[in-house]
Amino acid sequence: MLRIGCHLSSSRGFLAMGKDAVKIGANTFQFFTRNPRGGKAKELDLKDLEAYVVFAKEHGIAQILAHAPYTLNACSKDEGLRNFAKETMADDLFRLSHLPESMYNFHPGSHVQQGLGVGVSYISGMLNEILTPETKTTVLLETMAGKGSEVGRSFDELRQILERVELSEKMGVCLDTCHVYDAGYDIVHELELVLKEFDEILGLERLKAIHLNDSKNPFASHKDRHEKIGQGSIGLEAMAAIINHPKLRQLPFFLETPNELPGYAEEIALLRSRYEEADEEP
């Protein structure tokens, strides 16, 4: 069964997001833990969470993905910004402990010309301070497109972080199709080789989720601009190959394309039709 959803607004609460997901044919979804530009999170509504958990079980919604705000930069030059990232993530993980089987995705950050080694040290150090044996939520590093001094533009950069995290069993990777394509991984023509490289460097068991986005820019552009499915340089055929690949098809897929709910519903229906065609007996 294809596990697919999109990014939904969390402003109305979890039960509302669950209902929106069902309305557009999704069986999972992603949401920001707070304003994507940062700031204080809304007070936790435990009654809403309890109602959502019941609704999700009734409608087959499983393993949703929380996304940290974009402003988190765990490897900033500014100590205050690094502390903000640490405090925000710690609070997010505490709040997510109320959601069974949830995952938490974040952008590793930008080292701001301090050098990759410094960036990796700051990021892994933060994770070592936050993660405990009691942490219930799997924390995912997202693959990045490589703009400026972004950390995470290659599988090796993510490996450098993960190998320094003491509780690495709490960690995983979210692969963004637009980001890796823009970073120079040819998932259109060489998907097998890309997955082989991922496995050799990180281990495919680390891959926990996929952001399914087309790209507005050409291969290896390092730009990071998402496009609707089938309307960008990656294309529908490559997307169909990804969701049907035997090593990927059981993962949850999350759309972050430039859409409102009706557009997401159309994309989900399109991808489900391609997934079902792949499942049919010849």
Side-chain angles (χ1 to χ4, degrees):
M1 178 177 66
L2 180 63
R3 288 193 288 162
I4 190 166
C6 65
H7 192 96
L8 297 175
S9 171
S10 60
S11 61
R12 295 184 296 126
F14 283 95
L15 182 58
M17 285 193 288
K19 291 180 177 179
D20 283 343
V22 170
K23 182 166 61 177
I24 61 173
N27 51 9
T28 185
F29 60 87
Q30 175 180 273
F31 65 98
F32 279 121
T33 55
R34 57 193 71 209
N35 187 302
R37 300 301 170 192
K40 188 176 180 181
K42 291 172 58 178
E43 185 176 347
L44 202 58
D45 186 340
L46 293 179
K47 288 186 177 179
D48 176 63
L49 275 173
E50 290 170 3
Y52 163 75
V53 169
V54 172
F55 181 87
K57 187 175 182 180
E58 291 174 346
H59 292 84
I61 300 173
Q63 201 171 38
I64 59 178
L65 180 61
H67 199 304
Y70 293 136
T71 46
L72 263 64
N73 188 0
C75 56
S76 172
K77 275 187 177 181
D78 188 312
E79 184 179 3
L81 292 177
R82 295 198 305 272
N83 285 332
F84 170 76
K86 180 176 69 174
E87 292 166 4
T88 298
M89 188 175 294
D91 182 52
D92 283 349
L93 291 178
F94 168 75
R95 295 157 67 87
L96 288 168
S97 66
H98 295 86
L99 280 169
E101 297 185 350
S102 60
M103 299 184 292
Y104 181 73
N105 178 70
F106 77 104
H107 294 181
S110 297
H111 61 72
V112 200
Q113 308 308 319
Q114 298 175 96
L116 176 63
V118 172
V120 167
S121 177
Y122 278 143
I123 297 164
S124 57
M126 179 195 70
L127 291 165
N128 284 331
E129 288 189 56
I130 291 172
L131 297 176
T132 71
E134 291 72 39
T135 300
K136 298 179 181 179
T137 303
T138 301
V139 178
L140 308 185
L141 293 166
E142 183 170 342
T143 57
M144 303 307 296
K147 303 191 308 294
S149 57
E150 279 182 342
V151 179
R153 68 184 65 208
S154 70
F155 300 154
D156 184 66
E157 289 188 6
L158 296 182
R159 178 194 59 79
Q160 290 182 53
I161 298 169
L162 291 171
E163 68 183 9
R164 289 167 173 78
V165 177
E166 294 164 5
L167 296 175
S168 63
E169 69 274 12
K170 306 287 185 181
M171 300 290 301
V173 173
C174 176
L175 186 149
D176 186 301
T177 55
C178 171
H179 293 178
V180 294
Y181 188 71
D182 284 13
Y185 290 97
D186 192 355
I187 56 174
V188 175
H189 303 106
E190 301 289 354
L191 179 59
E192 291 294 344
L193 288 178
V194 172
L195 293 179
K196 183 175 184 289
E197 184 174 351
F198 188 102
D199 193 34
E200 290 173 348
I201 295 174
L202 289 163
L204 277 170
E205 69 278 2
R206 287 278 193 193
L207 184 55
K208 304 296 185 182
I210 292 181
H211 282 163
L212 203 62
N213 302 304
D214 214 324
S215 175
K216 287 182 180 291
N217 291 288
F219 177 64
S221 62
H222 304 288
K223 294 292 187 182
D224 183 14
R225 291 191 65 204
H226 299 184
E227 181 56 283
K228 296 176 182 179
I229 300 299
Q231 297 184 26
S233 57
I234 298 176
L236 179 59
E237 294 307 315
M239 294 298 181
I242 289 167
I243 63 173
N244 287 295
H245 193 284
K247 294 179 180 177
L248 305 177
R249 58 188 291 114
Q250 298 305 317
L251 293 171
F253 297 91
F254 301 93
L255 296 162
E256 297 178 317
T257 51
N259 269 313
E260 301 295 334
L261 286 181
Y264 281 132
E266 291 177 5
E267 287 186 335
I268 289 170
L270 173 62
L271 290 165
R272 284 197 185 284
S273 72
R274 297 305 296 260
Y275 187 86
E276 292 166 0
E277 286 172 15
D279 274 348
E280 289 176 358
E281 294 294 329

